[in-house]
Structures are given as structure tokens and as C-alpha cells.
Amino acid sequence: MSTVDKSRSKYIKLFLYLVVIVLLNVAGVTLYFRGDLTKNHVYSLSAVSKQVVSTLTEPLTIEVFFTKDLPAPHNNTEQYLRDMLKEYSLHANKYFNYRFYDVNPESGGIGSADTDDNQQRARDYGISPVQIQMIEQDEVKFKRAFMGLVLIHGDIIERIPALTSTDGLEYKLTTAIQKLNNKVSALLALEDKVKVRLVLSSSIYKVAPYMGLDQLEGYADQIKQIVEKINPKTYNKLDFARIDPTTSPDKAAQIEKLDIMEINWPKIDKAGIDAGSGLIGLLMQYKDKVRVIPLLQVLRLPIFGTQYQLADMAAVEEEINVNLDRLTNINQDIGYLGGYGTLSTGSLGPMAPRNEESLSRFSALINRNYNLKRIDLDEKGIPDGLKCLIIARPTEKMSDYALYQIDQALMRGTNLAIFVDAFKQARPAGQQPFMAAQQFSYVPLDTGLEKLLNYYGVRIKKSVVLDENAYKQRRPPQQGGGEQPIYFAPIIQSEHINKELDYIRNIKGLVAVKISPLELVQKRLDAQGITAYQLFASSDRSWEMRDRIMLNPQFISPPANDTEMASRPLAYLLEGSFGSYFEGKPMPEKPKEGEEIKPSPEERPDLSDISEKGAFRAKSPPAKIFVMASSELLKDQLLDDQGRSTNSMFILNMIDALNDRESIAAMRSKVQQFNPLHETSSMTKSIIKVINIIGLPLLVIAFGLIVWARRHTRRKMIQHQFQTEAN
């Protein structure tokens, strides 16, 4: 082949390569394709997200206000959001739309008229800029940036004011879209208006300046303006009025039993003010349901004394929207058993103080997607159609009538989430309160639930699990420093968490506290055809403390004999059709007020043959029972406000699973902040270290020798070939 032909052939190949590249780019523009190689498909939409946006029946618009050119990691958040919304649109029907607005909070004459308008539009929706930290030229600087969005569905608006991270972003968007769908239907179906009543005594006006509340007289007008602003977005379902207990004592008597803050002040001679009192708060009522929103926060500071602070209008607007959701049952109801010493759910308002023994964080997390409804067995009982009932640490003996209601709720298909303690903490008699640290005694509990659970197929052992693989607390320097293992706070490793269930498969670790082991009653499970899933267990280096329970870390040490060491099951999910505990037993009677609870129904005449048709059910439809012998996992110290910790995700995912929302639960835990490395032995660690230090250099040398040998062999072959041709 001539030199000219070779040159022409090269140009033809180059031209063909360019044509192929252009065609590939054209195909890439018209045929959208994404590949997600992450283990949990973090960057792909879940099936439930695709289903939600593909079944919209009304226009849904997402307006995003995100400042451009932000430093890392916030620029990644913006790009992640763009990619996600694009994927939503690919799977959505014609009703889904989204738009990014160019906003620049640092306008000051620099921003254009469009960016200023967009900035005001964001503020009108309740989205304000947040302050972020950035590093430029080795200096730490701060910048104000918009990073929020609103979802508009008809006249209803749902906002996410700050998107500072990609964690749980798909979960937030999908659940918000679902909530909007439910909200429109619920508001349109309301028979009456929701009453919004500002309770504000005019008598407080004269003492307000001495409380630092100079703006109190105009506060009622501000509240009215907020309600008028919200009303069009709720199809005008709000009815606002003010109640002045000072001038309307008859109305004051009607709200006397409600938890409205009352201010009492002494006589102030210098100002000529007599002693008096007044009420301040906001009531929301729909039919017989009432919600109270606190408007005044009292701060008691050591140096500055007592200070009073009114809730700002943004907080009031948010509280009205949240309580509107709860009053109108936009979210699905979840029952929470009240009485019998169960843990208090605490105040659900963000301005209210928290009690360490209450479940403030738990209730706040649950109420984002459900309506936590208190169930009083002695009053209205457990309503039909309730999907899930939570029982959290009862400490008092339950009557057979109460147990019967729980049993029959299960027979109707209500799933049970049971968090019980095997022991009750008590202070020894005669011990002074200031000497009580780590000196509590633990008394075995018998509430009656134990016999129900035993009948259904799981037994709570009267012991506490201790584990060498436990949380370690740092000692203060005055105690010698170092770490103190808290053996009664086992760390649950990934290999001891069930991976068969999608909604807990991505949970990589948990922390349990004061938890008792469980054991299955296999005969009962086999007789009823119940499937039992062990959800998590302690490590192989755990043991049990029985009889005399003492949980002072300084006096606990692992047993000398390894035969006591074994993994203990700590949580179970039972699933199937359960038989009633009360089948063939006398029908329990409701105890009268003040009547002593009779422990054994067998002492009364057998009235099991006398019943109304359909009043008693002996077999349940497919139902679920979640059992864990510790209530500590529900308390504030083991949960976070955002619900992103592994403990929070586990609890929320189990509640979702008990409400037939397994797909939502699996979506929540796609992204995990806690991804520990697999535990390896000391020998394995040493081998890996040797390979990294010595093995890699040896590998490079070996590769170099192979290359040198191949080149040397090739040189010999060429030399031999020329010598042969010469001869």
C-alpha cells in the first residue's frame, strides 16, 4: 500500500470516529439513561416514589429556591435535587411540574429585578435564607443562601424551608406529595369549619411592659392576619375569633379546663397596678377535638432572671398548619395506650418544655406522618379500623377487661407494637433522693400483658442482657480517665440484625439500653401457624443478669466462665392469624371506678356461652405483633429530632411496617449515615497491614520484572529472526 493510500485511510477512520461520537451524543440526548451502581440504589427513585407521581390527579408544582454557585457540599445538594426532580418527571404523569428560581440574597444592588422578585416570592412562601460557612483564600467566611422548596397542590402548600443535606431527600419529597394528596381530600370533606380562637386577656396589657411585652396590644391583629393568610390555602375552612376572658367571664369558664397558660402578677404600687391574672394561648377546635398552641414562653435565666417571649409569627403559622393536619385526620391514626403507668408522649409543641421521661421526640417524629391518638380503655376503648396500637412501658396491673380489649383489637386486625420492661425501677426504702444515683433496685413487673404475649407465642425473660460489645462512657479525669463500658447498653452489630426484611435491611447498628431477652413459645406458634422473625440480637459475648438486678457499671464485670456467653434475641415480629386468649374463658366485666382489679377471671361464673353475635372474635385476620422488652429506645436520649439516626430509623420503620407502609420504610433507610466496617480478627488485620506495607511494593517489583522479561524475550526473538534471514 502506498503512502498516499495510508494517509487517506487514516482520515477516513478519523471521520468515521467523529460520526460515531456525534451519533452517540445525539442518542444520549434523546434516550435518557442512568445507571446507579450504589448498593442501596441511593441515586435512583424507589418504586413507591414512581407510583406516587404517576398517579397524581391534580396539578402539582414544585418551586425550588436555591442560590447558585454555592461551595461544597451545598452545590452537590443542588445537583442531587435537580437530578432527582428530573427522574420524578420521567416517571410522572402530566400533572407533575417543577421549576428552579434564580435567587441571590446578597442582592444589595448587584441582583437583577428578576432575582429580587424571586427572593420576595420565596419569602412569601415562608422560605428564608440560611447562613452557611465557606472557606475562601484560607479564610472562613459566612454567606446567606436560599436552599428550600415548596410543593403547590391546588390551593394547598407544603414547604421544605432548608435542604442542607441530601440525606432522606427522596423520603421528604415523596411523603410530602402523599400528604398533599390526602390534605386536599380531607379539607374538602370537612363538614364544619375549624375554629381558631385567640384567648388573650386584656388585663395583661397593663402589666405587659413590665414583662418586656410592649408589642402585646398589637399581637391579636398579627394573629388574625396570619389566619387570614392561611385561610385561602385551606379552602376557607378556618374561622377566627378572639376570646377576652377579662370582658367575657362566661366564655372564660368554658375554657377553664383547657391547658391555657395563666399569668398571675402581684400588686405593683409604683405603677398603680392591682394584683391580677390573665390567660394567653391559641385554641384550634374541630367538633369535639381541641388543640392548644402555647404563645408565651417563660425563660428562667440564672443571671438575668425571668424573661417572657412571645411566639413569632412564623412559628405561629407553622403550628396552625401542623395542628390543622391533626384535627382533620389528614394523617392516619395510630393508637397510643394511655394510663396504666405508660410513658407520657409529652407536649407536641416546639415551644413547650420537655420531660426526660416523656416521649417528646418519638411523638414528634410519629406525628409527621401519622396522628398519634391516645386510647383510654376505660372510656371509649379501641376504635374499629385502627391499624396499629402502641403500648409503651405499662407499670400497673391491667384488668382482664383491658386485656380483653387489646386481645379483641388484635382479633379485628389491629397490629400491636409492644415496648415493655421486665423490671420497674424503684428506690430502696429509707434512701435519700440525693443518694439515689446508681442505687436503684429493680422489681419484676407483672402487668398482665405477659400472659397475652405468652399465649401469642413469645415470652419475656426476667433478666437483663449485658454485653461486652457495649457503649463506652468516658470517665472524668478525677476518676482516672479512660473508658467505662456500660454493659447494660449493648451495641447491636449489623450481623445480628435481620436482613430478610427490606425495611430494616439497611440498618447497620443499634444501641439498646436495659433490655431483656425474649424466647419463643414454639408450641403456641406452631398451633396458630405464626411466623416469627428475629429482628435483632446481642453479640456472642453477651450474658444475662438475673434475680438481684444491679446496674451500677462500676460493679459489673463479665462472667469468668465463657459458657454463659451467647447471643440473645432482643426483638421479634410475629406475623399470622392469632387465636384469642379469651376463647373458652369467661367474658371479663368492666371494673367499676375504684374497684380492686380481680386477677383471675376463672373465679367468676362462666358466661362464655352468652354473647351477642359478632361481639367476640376467636381468630384474627393476618396481623402483626412487634415485641421488644425495653422502653428505653423510645426515649429522647436514644432518638434524634430529624429521625436520621439508626435507632430512630429502626423505630419509625417498624411503625411504618405495622401500618402496611413497608415501601416507605425501605425508602427512608436507603441513605445511612452509620456505615461501620465489618469486624475482623487481629490476625486478619495484621495480614492486611503486611500486604499494604510490603505486598504492594513487591507487587510493583514483580510487575516490573514481568515487563522486563517480556521485552527481553521479544528482543531475543527479533535478533534471532534477523540472524536467520542473514544466513
Side-chain angles (χ1 to χ4, degrees):
M1 184 181 290
S2 64
T3 305
V4 176
D5 292 337
K6 289 182 178 180
S7 177
R8 186 180 301 166
S9 176
K10 289 180 180 179
Y11 286 118
I12 292 173
K13 288 182 179 179
L14 177 62
F15 175 75
L16 292 175
Y17 291 153
L18 291 175
V19 170
V20 171
I21 291 172
V22 171
L23 291 176
L24 288 175
N25 279 276
V26 172
V29 172
T30 56
L31 302 175
Y32 181 79
F33 173 77
R34 291 184 67 192
D36 189 348
L37 302 180
T38 57
K39 182 178 180 181
N40 299 330
H41 301 289
V42 174
Y43 298 99
S44 301
L45 289 184
S46 304
V48 63
S49 298
K50 298 175 184 178
Q51 189 268 337
V52 165
V53 294
S54 64
T55 55
L56 291 172
T57 57
E58 297 288 340
L60 172 74
T61 301
I62 299 179
E63 297 188 359
V64 184
F65 303 92
F66 219 105
T67 303
K68 292 183 177 181
D69 302 323
L70 293 178
H74 304 295
N75 56 347
N76 296 329
T77 303
E78 181 190 8
Q79 187 59 49
Y80 181 83
L81 180 59
R82 287 182 181 273
D83 293 342
M84 179 170 290
L85 291 177
K86 187 173 183 179
E87 192 167 356
Y88 269 110
S89 66
L90 289 174
H91 297 281
N93 58 22
K94 63 180 180 179
Y95 294 115
F96 181 84
N97 299 282
Y98 72 93
R99 178 181 175 183
F100 277 77
Y101 286 85
D102 184 14
V103 289
N104 183 3
E106 307 278 343
S107 54
I110 300 175
S112 65
D114 288 340
T115 58
D116 290 341
D117 291 342
N118 295 339
Q119 181 182 150
Q120 185 59 46
R121 185 181 182 90
R123 288 198 171 94
D124 290 342
Y125 282 130
I127 296 178
S128 301
V130 296
Q131 186 169 274
I132 62 172
Q133 180 177 307
M134 53 190 296
I135 299 177
E136 287 185 358
Q137 299 178 349
D138 298 330
E139 293 183 3
V140 177
K141 297 182 178 180
F142 295 92
K143 181 178 181 178
R144 296 170 68 243
F146 284 96
M147 294 187 293
L149 61 83
V150 293
L151 299 94
I152 306 170
H153 191 51
D155 292 331
I156 308 299
I157 295 175
E158 188 77 17
R159 61 191 175 98
I160 304 178
L163 294 171
T164 56
S165 171
T166 61
D167 288 346
L169 184 52
E170 181 191 356
Y171 174 79
K172 292 177 183 177
L173 285 174
T174 299
T175 53
I177 294 171
Q178 281 186 323
K179 184 177 180 180
L180 282 173
N181 272 327
N182 297 337
K183 195 169 186 176
V184 170
S185 302
L187 287 174
L188 292 175
L190 291 182
E191 299 174 359
D192 303 318
K193 289 192 174 185
V194 177
K195 297 178 181 179
V196 182
R197 299 292 182 260
L198 172 63
V199 180
L200 178 58
S201 300
S202 55
S203 58
I204 304 179
Y205 290 161
K206 55 187 176 183
V207 77
Y210 299 93
M211 301 170 63
L213 304 176
D214 297 327
Q215 72 277 30
L216 184 62
E217 288 196 32
Y219 198 63
D221 292 334
Q222 295 180 44
I223 298 288
K224 183 179 180 180
Q225 291 173 9
I226 288 294
V227 176
E228 290 175 347
K229 174 185 174 184
I230 298 174
N231 211 7
K233 302 173 185 177
T234 60
Y235 301 99
N236 294 314
K237 294 294 184 179
L238 301 181
D239 175 48
F240 177 80
R242 177 185 172 181
I243 298 175
D244 185 353
T246 304
T247 59
S248 304
D250 54 333
K251 293 183 178 180
Q254 297 176 7
I255 61 174
E256 185 177 354
K257 295 182 179 180
L258 300 176
D259 191 18
I260 301 290
M261 178 177 285
E262 182 179 3
I263 303 296
N264 296 280
W265 58 88
K267 184 177 181 180
I268 305 176
D269 294 324
K270 294 182 179 179
I273 298 175
D274 295 328
S277 64
L279 300 176
I280 180 171
L282 192 65
L283 297 177
M284 293 184 66
Q285 180 179 3
Y286 180 70
K287 294 186 176 180
D288 59 342
K289 293 188 292 185
V290 180
R291 307 289 301 184
V292 179
I293 302 176
L295 296 177
L296 185 65
Q297 187 176 20
V298 182
L299 304 174
R300 304 190 189 280
L301 305 177
I303 298 177
F304 301 98
T306 302
Q307 295 188 1
Y308 300 90
Q309 182 177 346
L310 287 171
D312 60 60
M313 291 302 106
V316 172
E317 181 179 354
E318 181 68 20
E319 282 292 285
I320 292 175
N321 284 319
V322 169
N323 284 280
L324 178 63
D325 293 352
R326 295 172 186 162
L327 285 172
T328 54
N329 287 332
I330 289 172
N331 293 328
Q332 180 180 344
D333 281 344
I334 288 185
Y336 184 87
L337 183 66
Y340 304 102
T342 55
L343 291 168
S344 168
T345 54
S347 175
L348 303 179
M351 294 175 290
R354 282 178 175 169
N355 181 357
E356 292 183 359
E357 279 297 309
S358 72
L359 309 183
S360 301
R361 281 181 175 159
F362 172 75
S363 60
L365 291 171
I366 291 295
N367 275 289
R368 291 179 183 176
N369 298 301
Y370 299 96
N371 180 36
L372 200 60
K373 181 178 182 180
R374 180 184 170 93
I375 302 296
D376 292 310
L377 298 181
D378 294 335
E379 295 181 6
K380 295 182 179 180
I382 303 173
D384 292 341
L386 191 68
K387 195 64 184 176
C388 177
L389 175 65
I390 300 173
I391 304 175
R393 199 210 65 181
T395 56
E396 300 172 6
K397 188 73 174 180
M398 303 177 73
S399 67
D400 289 314
Y401 177 75
L403 297 176
Y404 176 78
Q405 291 188 75
I406 295 172
D407 174 88
Q408 287 300 290
L410 178 65
M411 296 305 109
R412 294 192 298 268
T414 298
N415 299 323
L416 302 179
I418 300 178
F419 303 85
V420 291
D421 290 347
F423 300 91
K424 180 179 180 180
Q425 186 173 271
R427 183 180 292 117
Q431 189 179 77
Q432 298 298 322
F434 60 85
M435 296 290 292
Q438 302 296 342
Q439 299 298 319
F440 291 106
S441 62
Y442 292 86
V443 181
L445 274 173
D446 181 15
T447 63
L449 271 177
E450 294 80 7
K451 61 184 179 183
L452 281 189
L453 292 174
N454 185 73
Y455 185 83
Y456 298 146
V458 63
R459 182 182 296 116
I460 300 171
K461 300 178 70 174
K462 296 298 181 182
S463 61
V464 175
V465 172
L466 308 178
D467 201 327
E468 285 187 354
N469 186 39
Y471 173 78
K472 294 178 175 59
Q473 186 180 48
R474 289 192 174 276
R475 291 172 173 159
Q478 56 268 30
Q479 294 183 8
E483 292 182 334
Q484 172 68 58
I486 310 299
Y487 292 115
F488 57 82
I491 294 178
I492 312 301
Q493 298 169 315
S494 180
E495 55 265 31
H496 293 288
I497 299 175
N498 192 323
K499 304 302 179 184
E500 297 179 16
L501 304 174
D502 290 340
Y503 47 87
I504 61 172
R505 180 178 298 163
N506 296 327
I507 305 294
K508 304 296 177 63
L510 297 167
V511 178
V513 177
K514 299 178 184 177
I515 192 166
S516 298
L518 305 174
E519 60 181 355
L520 297 176
V521 185
Q522 201 61 47
K523 283 185 178 181
R524 293 299 311 153
L525 296 177
D526 295 340
Q528 300 174 96
I530 302 298
T531 302
Y533 297 96
Q534 178 180 299
L535 300 179
F536 64 85
S538 60
S539 77
D540 296 328
R541 299 293 298 172
S542 65
W543 70 101
E544 296 179 38
M545 179 182 287
R546 304 179 184 87
D547 303 326
R548 186 172 179 268
I549 306 298
M550 182 186 63
L551 298 182
N552 188 328
Q554 299 180 2
F555 299 105
I556 302 176
S557 59
N561 192 347
D562 281 355
T563 56
E564 297 184 34
M565 297 290 193
S567 178
R568 266 79 178 179
L570 302 178
Y572 275 109
L573 178 68
L574 309 183
E575 189 171 352
S577 295
F578 297 87
S580 172
Y581 171 79
F582 289 91
E583 184 177 10
K585 292 184 174 67
M587 195 70 66
E589 297 177 359
K590 182 177 180 179
K592 297 178 181 178
E593 188 174 353
E595 180 182 355
E596 183 180 355
I597 295 174
K598 298 180 181 180
S600 176
E602 286 79 2
E603 296 176 0
R604 297 191 300 272
D606 188 351
L607 303 178
S608 58
D609 293 334
I610 304 175
S611 63
E612 298 178 7
K613 185 178 180 180
F616 174 79
R617 300 192 182 190
K619 193 75 172 177
S620 78
K624 301 173 184 176
I625 302 177
F626 168 76
V627 185
M628 183 173 64
S630 173
S631 62
E632 298 292 328
L633 270 72
L634 299 181
K635 295 182 180 179
D636 289 355
Q637 60 266 31
L638 292 181
L639 301 178
D640 67 300
D641 290 321
Q642 300 303 317
R644 302 306 303 167
S645 69
T646 53
N647 273 37
S648 299
M649 280 193 180
F650 175 79
I651 296 298
L652 294 176
N653 285 4
M654 289 308 307
I655 298 299
D656 279 340
L658 294 174
N659 284 274
D660 295 335
R661 295 186 180 183
E662 290 90 345
S663 56
I664 294 290
M667 178 179 60
R668 179 193 287 112
S669 54
K670 279 171 59 174
V671 180
Q672 279 291 318
Q673 296 177 338
F674 180 66
N675 285 292
L677 297 174
H678 292 291
E679 290 289 332
T680 55
S681 63
S682 300
M683 179 64 70
T684 304
K685 293 178 182 177
S686 300
I687 293 173
I688 294 174
K689 188 183 296 184
V690 170
I691 291 174
N692 286 332
I693 296 174
I694 302 175
L696 291 178
L698 291 177
L699 185 62
V700 173
I701 293 172
F703 181 76
L705 291 175
I706 292 172
V707 173
W708 174 82
R710 291 187 63 186
R711 289 180 177 178
H712 181 72
T713 302
R714 184 170 178 270
R715 191 182 302 114
K716 287 290 186 181
M717 290 177 60
I718 294 172
Q719 184 179 1
H720 177 71
Q721 183 179 356
F722 278 103
Q723 288 178 352
T724 303
E725 292 177 357
N727 294 332

